[in-house]
Amino acid sequence: MSSSLSSPLTRIDHIGIACRNLDETVEFYRATYGFEVFHSEVNEEQGVREAMLKINDTGDGGASYLQLLEPTREDSAIAKWMAKNGEGVHHVAFGTADVTATTTDIVGKGIRSLYPEARRGSMGSSINFLHPKDAHGVLVELVQAAEGDAEH
């Protein structure tokens, strides 16, 4: 098993946190830690309303975020996960310059991806997830920023 990737991971892009009420959770992070919403959107495909809270800039021109996720429908992956686990850390996301190449490399090491091809993520990014049963119980997201988006 080789430890190198043709498109290496560059940083922790974000930590995904599932919540019941996005507005209340955003207020908690603002009042407690001083984090402000950098971006918010509804992702209909994934059934979530989300807010990205920017934590800091990174040395590679990107940034690190907390991603707060509120389910918008009962059949979404986040709603199903919350039914079992409640609110809390849902996933860890790593940035990469090429999500397809990184996914292919990691799948080649025996780790399953959740999607056969990358999907649309926050802020127009391309994403894929790695199966938590193959990653020591951690749901890992791979994130390629949208073209021209140095912030993500």
Side-chain angles (χ1 to χ4, degrees):
M1 212 153 70
S2 172
S3 63
S4 63
L5 298 172
S6 62
S7 183
L9 303 175
T10 57
R11 68 184 174 282
I12 295 175
D13 184 86
H14 67 270
I15 307 294
I17 300 173
C19 62
R20 288 184 183 85
N21 184 305
L22 185 65
D23 297 328
E24 287 178 8
T25 307
V26 164
E27 180 54 26
F28 169 81
Y29 280 94
R30 189 203 60 71
T32 306
Y33 306 114
F35 299 149
E36 297 293 339
V37 174
F38 177 79
H39 174 84
S40 61
E41 69 180 84
V42 174
N43 185 321
E44 295 293 344
E45 179 185 359
Q46 294 187 20
V48 295
R49 186 168 78 104
E50 64 180 80
M52 296 293 271
L53 310 179
K54 187 174 181 179
I55 307 306
N56 68 320
D57 293 313
T58 61
D60 65 359
S64 294
Y65 302 90
L66 288 179
Q67 179 187 43
L68 306 178
L69 301 156
E70 175 189 21
T72 59
R73 55 178 204 266
E74 294 296 317
D75 68 339
S76 70
I78 290 290
K80 291 176 185 176
W81 185 87
M82 286 180 63
K84 292 180 194 172
N85 302 290
E87 293 183 299
V89 174
H90 178 260
H91 66 273
V92 175
F94 297 112
T96 179
D98 186 337
V99 72
T100 299
T102 301
T103 301
T104 299
D105 287 351
I106 293 173
V107 167
K109 296 176 183 200
I111 309 299
R112 292 173 286 171
S113 65
L114 296 188
Y115 309 137
E117 295 180 355
R119 293 187 178 181
R120 180 195 164 290
S122 299
M123 300 187 279
S125 63
S126 295
I127 63 166
N128 208 331
F129 285 91
L130 304 177
H131 201 294
K133 288 184 179 176
D134 298 344
H136 297 274
V138 178
L139 179 61
V140 173
E141 182 179 9
L142 303 173
V143 179
Q144 177 182 337
E147 218 32 59
D149 183 4
E151 286 290 322
H152 198 222

